[in-house]
C-alpha cells in the first residue's frame, strides 16, 4: 500500500467540480462582497419594520434571497477546505467565511427577534396567509419562549464563528496535525493514515496486521487525547451555556428543539437498541470468532468480513452499473439524477493527503450536490456511495418543491433516504443470485456495514453522548480520563463478555466529528428504522410504495419526522418500527449462520 498522494497529484476526473458553484476564487470573492453589501442594504430597509403579518412576509422574502446567496458561498468555502486540510489558502478562506457569516448573521439577527416579538395571533395570521412560510412561522411560535432580547441575539450571532471553533480545532488536530507512523508485521512496514485505517486496515482479514494497525492507530490517537478532550469540553460547555441562557431545562431539550422530536423518541432509540440489539450483535461477534478461529474476540476484530475471499474489487465505472441496477426501482427521474452525479462530477472519489475522512453529501439549496468519498475499490464503497446518493436524491426532490427554509428535513429523518438506498442495493444483490456464498456475503455486508455502522457504531456514540450531556447538565465537565471511562462503559454494556476491549477501544470517541453536530449520532438508527420498514414495503408493493417515498422526499422539511414517516405508512411514535427492525437484524444474522453451516458442509 502506497502513501497517499498530494491533492495536486490526483486525476481531475476523480474530483468534484466546484466550478458549478463559483468559476474561481475571484468569482467567490465578488459574491462575498455582494452579500456583505446586500446584508447592509437589507438591514437598512427592514430593521424596525416588522409590525404585522404583511410586513413579516415581506421581510422573510428579502431575508430568504440573502440566505440563498450565503448558502452557496458557505458551501464553496467549506467544500474546498474539506478536500485538503493542508491547503492553507482554502483553510484561510473557510476561516474568513466564518467571520463574514458571523458579521452578516449579527446584522440580520433582528429578523428573528422582531418576528418573535410579534403577538402569537399575528404569527398565526401570517402562517395562514403564506403557504411558503407557514412552517417557518410555526417554528417561530414554538421557539418564542426561548428567544432572548434582540441585542443579546445580535451579540450571540456575532460570536457564531467563535462557537464553531471547537469543531474547527478538532478537524485541524485530526487531519493536519496527527501523522500516523507505519506499523510493522513480520518485519514488513505498512503505511497508516485515518483513511487507510478506516477504509482498509480495520477490516483487514489478516489478524496480525489488523490488530497491529489498531494498536499503532490507537497509540497515536492517545498522544492527542487531552487536547481533543479539552476541545470537546469547550464545545459542550458552550452548548450548556446557550441552553441555560435561553431557558431550556437541559442541553438535550435545547438540541432536540431543532429536530422537532420529543425526549421520549430520543431516549427510546438509544435504550431499546442498547438492550434488545445487543444479544443479536453478540451472536454475530461469536460467529466471526468461530469463522476466523480466534481464541478471543477483541474490539479490533469486529469489522472483519465474514468471507474475506469473497470481497469483489469494484472500479468507479462498475459502481455506476450497480447504482443504475439497484436504484432503477426509484424511477427514471431519480436515475437521471444518479447518472448526472457521475457525468457532471458531483463526486470526489480521490484519495489524497489531508482529505476529510468518511463520506458526506453537501447539497446547497438549488446548487446541486457534492459527494465526498475516498474510493478504495471495495464493495463497501458501493454501499457508501449508494448512501450518499440517497442524500443527493432527497435534496434533489426537496429542492424542486420546497423553499430554502423548508427543504431540509429534521436531523431525526435525514438518514432515512440515504440508508433506504443501502437497503435497495442489498435487495438488488440478493435477488440476483442463488449462490450461498454470494448470498452470505450480501447478508453479512448488510449487517457488518449498513446496520453495524448505523445501529451499532453511531448508536454507541449516542449512548456515550447522552452520558456526556447528563454530566454537563449536572454542572460537570469532561476530560480525557472521564471520556475514556464513559466510552469504555458503553462498550462493555453493549458487548458484555463476548468481546475483549483492546487498549485503545475507549478512544473511539476521538474519531467522529458527529459530537460537534448536536444530537446527530442517534439519528442514524432512527433513519435506518424508517428505511428498513420502507424497503420492505417497496419489496412487497412496488410502485405504490415508491410513489409514497418520492412524495416523502419532496416534502423535505415541510413536515416533522413523525408526519414524514406517516406519509410513508410508518408510525414512529410507537416502538413497533424499531422492534421490527431489530427483529429483522436478528433474522439476517440467523440466515448468515445457516448459510455458514451449509457452506462448511460442502
Amino acid at each position: 500500500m502506497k502513501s497517499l498522494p498530494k491533492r495536486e497529484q490526483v486525476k481531475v476526473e476523480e474530483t468534484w467540480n466546484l466550478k458549478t458553484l463559483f468559476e474561481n476564487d475571484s468569482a467567490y470573492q465578488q459574491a462575498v462582497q455582494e452579500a456583505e453589501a446586500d446584508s447592509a442594504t437589507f438591514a437598512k430597509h427592514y430593521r424596525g419594520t416588522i409590525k404585522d403579518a404583511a410586513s413579516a412576509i415581506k421581510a422573510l422574502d428579502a431575508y430568504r434571497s440573502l440566505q440563498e446567496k450565503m448558502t452557496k458561498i458557505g458551501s464553496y468555502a467549506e467544500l474546498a477546505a474539506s478536500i485538503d486540510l493542508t491547503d492553507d489558502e482554502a483553510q484561510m478562506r473557510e476561516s474568513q467565511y466564518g467571520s463574514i457569516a458571523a458579521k452578516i448573521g449579527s446584522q440580520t439577527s433582528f429578523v428573528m427577534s422582531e418576528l418573535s416579538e410579534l403577538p402569537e395571533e399575528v404569527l398565526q395570521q401570517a402562517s395562514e396567509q403564506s403557504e411558503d412560510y407557514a412552517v417557518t412561522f410555526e417554528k417561530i411560535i414554538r421557539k418564542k419562549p426561548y428567544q432572548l432580547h434582540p441585542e443579546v441575539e445580535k451579540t450571540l450571532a456575532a460570536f457564531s464563528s467563535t462557537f464553531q471553533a471547537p469543531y474547527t480545532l478538532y478537524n485541524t488536530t485530526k487531519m493536519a496535525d496527527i501523522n500516523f507512523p507505519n506499523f510493522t508485521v513480520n518485519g514488513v512496514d505498512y503505511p497508516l493514515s485515518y483513511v487507510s485505517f478506516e477504509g482498509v486496515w480495520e477490516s483487514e482479514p489478516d489478524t496480525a496486521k489488523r490488530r497491529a494497525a489498531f494498536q499503532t492507530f490507537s497509540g497515536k490517537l492517545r498522544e492527542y487525547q487531552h487536547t481533543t478532550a479539552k476541545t470537546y469540553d469547550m464545545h459542550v460547555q458552550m452548548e450548556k451555556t446557550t441552553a441555560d441562557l435561553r431557558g431550556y431545562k437541559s442541553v438535550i431539550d435545547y438540541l432536540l428543539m431543532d429536530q422537532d422530536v420529543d425526549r421520549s423518541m430520543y431516549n427510546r432509540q438509544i435504550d431499546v437498541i442498547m438492550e434488545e440489539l445487543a444479544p443479536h450483535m453478540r451472536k454475530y461477534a461469536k460467529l466471526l470468532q468461530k469463522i476466523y478461529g480466534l481464541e478471543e474476540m477483541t474490539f479490533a476484530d469486529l469489522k472483519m468480513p465474514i468471507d474475506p475471499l469473497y470481497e469483489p474489487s469494484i472500479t468507479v465505472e462498475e459502481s455506476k452499473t450497480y447504482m443504475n441496477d439497484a436504484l432503477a426501482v426509484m424511477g427514471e427521474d431519480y436515475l437521471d439524477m444518479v447518472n448526472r452525479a457521475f457525468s457532471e462530477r458531483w463526486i470526489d472519489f480521490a484519495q489524497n493527503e489531508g482529505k476529510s475522512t468518511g463520506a458526506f453529501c453537501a447539497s446547497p439549496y438549488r446548487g446541486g450536490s457534492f459527494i465526498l468519498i475516498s474510493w478504495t475499490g471495495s464493495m463497501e464503497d458501493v454501499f457508501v456511495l449508494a448512501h450518499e446518493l440517497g442524500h443527493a436524491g432527497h435534496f434533489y426532490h426537496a429542492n424542486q418543491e420546497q423553499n430554502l427554509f423548508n427543504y431540509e428535513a429534521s436531523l431525526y429523518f435525514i438518514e432515512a433516504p440515504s440508508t433506504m438506498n443501502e437497503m435497495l442495493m442489498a435487495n438488488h444483490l440478493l435477488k440476483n443470485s442463488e449462490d450461498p456464498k454470494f448470498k452470505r456475503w450480501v447478508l453479512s455486508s448488510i449487517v457488518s456495514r449498513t446496520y453495524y455502522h448505523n445501529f451499532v457504531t453511531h448508536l454507541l456514540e449516542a449512548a456515550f453522548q447522552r452520558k456526556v450531556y447528563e454530566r454537563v447538565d449536572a454542572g460537570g465537565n469532561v476530560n480525557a480520563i472521564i471520556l475514556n471511562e464513559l466510552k469504555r462503559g458503553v462498550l462493555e454494556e453493549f458487548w458484555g463478555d463476548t468481546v475483549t476491549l483492546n487498549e485503545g477501544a475507549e478512544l473511539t470517541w476521538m474519531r467522529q466529528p458527529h459530537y460537534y453536530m448536536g444530537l446527530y449520532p442517534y439519528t442514524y438508527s432512527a433513519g435506518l428504522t424508517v428505511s428498513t420498514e420502507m424497503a420492505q414495503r417497496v419489496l412487497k408493493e412496488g410502485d405504490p410504495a415508491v410513489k409514497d417515498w418520492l412524495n416523502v422526499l419532496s416534502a423535505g422539511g415541510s413536515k416533522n419526522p413523525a408526519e414524514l414517516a406517516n406519509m410513508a405508512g410508518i408510525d414512529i411514535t410507537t416502538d413497533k418500527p424499531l422492534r421490527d427492525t431489530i427483529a429483522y437484524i436478528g433474522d439476517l444474522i440467523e440466515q448468515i449462520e445457516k448459510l455458514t453451516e451449509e457452506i462448511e458442509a460442502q
Side-chain angles (χ1 to χ4, degrees):
M1 187 185 294
K2 297 176 183 175
S3 296
L4 293 176
K6 302 284 187 186
R7 181 67 183 183
E8 60 268 19
Q9 295 173 315
V10 301
K11 297 174 183 174
V12 173
E13 58 268 27
E14 293 180 359
T15 65
W16 56 27
N17 179 21
L18 293 184
K19 288 187 176 182
T20 56
L21 289 174
F22 293 103
E23 182 63 31
N24 49 40
D25 189 56
S26 62
Y28 166 81
Q29 296 297 346
Q30 185 180 338
V32 169
Q33 290 171 12
E34 289 172 3
E36 288 181 301
D38 289 349
S39 172
T41 303
F42 171 78
K44 183 180 177 182
H45 285 150
Y46 289 96
R47 183 182 281 115
T49 68
I50 304 173
K51 305 293 185 184
D52 53 25
S55 56
I57 293 166
K58 187 179 178 185
L60 274 181
D61 277 334
Y63 183 63
R64 181 176 83 176
S65 177
L66 175 62
Q67 289 303 311
E68 285 177 2
K69 292 175 184 176
M70 289 301 293
T71 299
K72 191 177 171 186
I73 291 167
S75 294
Y76 182 82
E78 289 161 10
L79 292 168
S82 70
I83 48 176
D84 186 1
L85 273 85
T86 66
D87 181 341
D88 289 339
E89 187 180 333
Q91 301 311 310
M92 285 301 294
R93 187 195 297 120
E94 185 182 30
S95 296
Q96 286 164 357
Y97 166 74
S99 302
I100 292 159
K103 177 185 171 186
I104 290 175
S106 180
Q107 274 184 325
T108 58
S109 66
F110 71 87
V111 177
M112 288 305 155
S113 292
E114 290 185 25
L115 286 170
S116 295
E117 288 178 332
L118 292 174
E120 189 170 325
E121 58 268 25
V122 173
L123 291 168
Q124 287 284 9
Q125 187 183 2
S127 177
E128 290 161 12
Q129 288 178 14
S130 171
E131 188 179 338
D132 273 356
Y133 304 132
V135 175
T136 305
F137 284 122
E138 285 161 18
K139 286 180 180 175
I140 291 168
I141 291 169
R142 273 200 306 122
K143 288 187 174 182
K144 195 172 164 60
Y146 307 104
Q147 192 75 8
L148 301 173
H149 186 279
E151 286 304 313
V152 179
E153 293 288 354
K154 183 179 179 182
T155 304
L156 286 174
F159 275 103
S160 62
S161 65
T162 307
F163 295 154
Q164 288 296 312
Y167 183 34
T168 306
L169 278 171
Y170 166 79
N171 271 329
T172 303
T173 303
K174 178 179 174 180
M175 299 310 302
D177 281 349
I178 300 182
N179 187 22
F180 292 95
N182 293 348
F183 67 93
T184 306
V185 178
N186 296 327
V188 180
D189 281 355
Y190 299 92
L192 185 64
S193 66
Y194 249 109
V195 170
S196 69
F197 178 74
E198 295 186 344
V200 179
W201 297 122
E202 198 173 23
S203 54
E204 164 63 44
D206 185 310
T207 298
K209 289 180 188 175
R210 184 179 62 255
R211 290 181 178 177
F214 182 90
Q215 185 179 2
T216 304
F217 182 79
S218 299
K220 179 54 71 170
L221 281 186
R222 194 177 297 283
E223 293 176 18
Y224 292 82
Q225 64 178 329
H226 298 295
T227 302
T228 308
K230 179 57 72 177
T231 301
Y232 182 38
D233 185 54
M234 193 191 317
H235 173 75
V236 295
Q237 296 302 332
M238 285 196 299
E239 288 179 318
K240 170 64 174 167
T241 301
T242 306
D244 287 348
L245 277 173
R246 293 195 176 282
Y248 288 92
K249 290 179 183 176
S250 72
V251 182
I252 291 174
D253 290 327
Y254 161 59
L255 295 173
L256 284 176
M257 171 61 84
D258 277 339
Q259 294 184 12
D260 211 355
V261 169
D262 65 42
R263 190 80 172 256
S264 66
M265 287 168 70
Y266 165 72
N267 284 329
R268 181 174 66 231
Q269 204 67 27
I270 297 172
D271 294 336
V272 173
I273 295 175
M274 284 294 289
E275 184 179 342
E276 297 188 19
L277 181 64
H280 295 302
M281 294 310 300
R282 290 175 192 177
K283 190 176 180 182
Y284 178 74
K286 285 177 181 174
L287 178 61
L288 279 175
Q289 183 179 0
K290 180 186 171 189
I291 289 170
Y292 279 80
L294 302 177
E295 284 187 23
E296 67 171 352
M297 186 68 182
T298 76
F299 186 78
D301 304 321
L302 286 167
K303 295 288 185 75
M304 296 185 298
I306 284 279
D307 188 348
L309 301 177
Y310 212 95
E311 180 77 16
S313 182
I314 306 293
T315 66
V316 167
E317 193 57 36
E318 287 168 338
S319 76
K320 186 177 176 183
T321 304
Y322 276 102
M323 298 304 149
N324 274 276
D325 291 346
L327 304 178
V329 67
M330 295 292 286
E332 286 185 20
D333 188 40
Y334 196 97
L335 272 194
D336 179 61
M337 182 275 301
V338 169
N339 286 310
R340 284 176 58 203
F342 285 89
S343 64
E344 296 175 12
R345 287 176 47 215
W346 297 7
I347 310 164
D348 201 273
F349 292 103
Q351 286 195 59
N352 61 263
E353 186 182 314
K355 184 174 177 177
S356 288
T357 60
F360 66 73
C361 174
S363 300
Y365 184 68
R366 293 191 177 160
S369 283
F370 299 88
I371 293 171
L372 179 140
I373 182 173
S374 294
W375 194 262
T376 63
S378 73
M379 194 66 189
E380 180 170 2
D381 292 342
V382 173
F383 279 93
V384 172
L385 184 54
H387 178 106
E388 299 307 335
L389 284 167
H391 285 306
H394 190 188
F395 289 112
Y396 172 77
H397 283 83
N399 273 336
Q400 293 177 46
E401 301 295 331
Q402 307 298 332
N403 66 50
L404 174 71
F405 300 141
N406 290 357
Y407 89 111
E408 191 166 353
S410 158
L411 264 184
Y412 185 94
F413 200 85
I414 209 76
E415 294 299 338
S418 52
T419 52
M420 173 67 169
N421 275 14
E422 290 189 58
M423 300 307 297
L424 293 176
M425 179 61 69
N427 289 341
H428 162 71
L429 294 173
L430 281 174
K431 192 171 67 177
N432 286 280
S433 177
E434 287 303 318
D435 177 0
K437 278 201 165 189
F438 183 76
K439 289 188 82 164
R440 183 179 70 162
W441 175 80
V442 174
L443 291 169
S444 65
S445 292
I446 305 170
V447 173
S448 66
R449 290 161 182 161
T450 302
Y451 284 108
Y452 191 101
H453 188 65
N454 299 295
F455 255 74
V456 180
T457 300
H458 293 320
L459 195 280
L460 295 182
E461 289 171 10
F464 161 80
Q465 187 183 42
R466 185 171 65 175
K467 288 179 183 294
V468 170
Y469 283 128
E470 285 169 351
R471 184 181 179 88
V472 169
D473 271 328
N477 287 69
V478 291
N479 59 23
I481 294 166
I482 291 165
L483 292 171
N484 289 345
E485 285 175 357
L486 291 177
K487 187 66 184 180
R488 182 169 280 273
V490 167
L491 293 173
E492 286 173 347
E493 181 186 347
F494 189 82
W495 292 110
D497 58 5
T498 304
V499 175
T500 301
L501 299 181
N502 314 59
E503 187 178 343
E506 71 281 0
L507 296 171
T508 50
W509 63 267
M510 294 178 65
R511 290 167 53 183
Q512 282 291 357
H514 295 144
Y515 302 125
Y516 299 86
M517 303 174 186
L519 297 175
Y520 194 9
Y522 90 103
T523 66
Y524 280 86
S525 63
L528 186 50
T529 299
V530 173
S531 60
T532 299
E533 295 279 87
M534 195 65 220
Q536 294 303 305
R537 271 199 66 199
V538 170
L539 269 180
K540 291 171 188 169
E541 301 170 32
D543 286 346
V546 170
K547 188 177 179 183
D548 282 350
W549 189 239
L550 292 174
N551 286 335
V552 170
L553 300 185
S554 296
S558 64
K559 297 180 184 297
N560 68 37
E563 290 168 336
L564 289 170
N566 194 50
M567 286 175 69
I570 303 161
D571 185 0
I572 57 171
T573 63
T574 71
D575 60 8
K576 184 180 182 302
L578 180 54
R579 291 183 193 278
D580 284 351
T581 301
I582 291 171
Y584 176 72
I585 297 170
D587 181 60
L588 291 177
I589 292 168
E590 282 184 15
Q591 288 182 58
I592 294 168
E593 280 189 318
K594 286 175 185 172
L595 286 166
T596 299
E597 290 171 9
E598 185 183 328
I599 292 162
E600 288 176 351
Q602 287 176 352

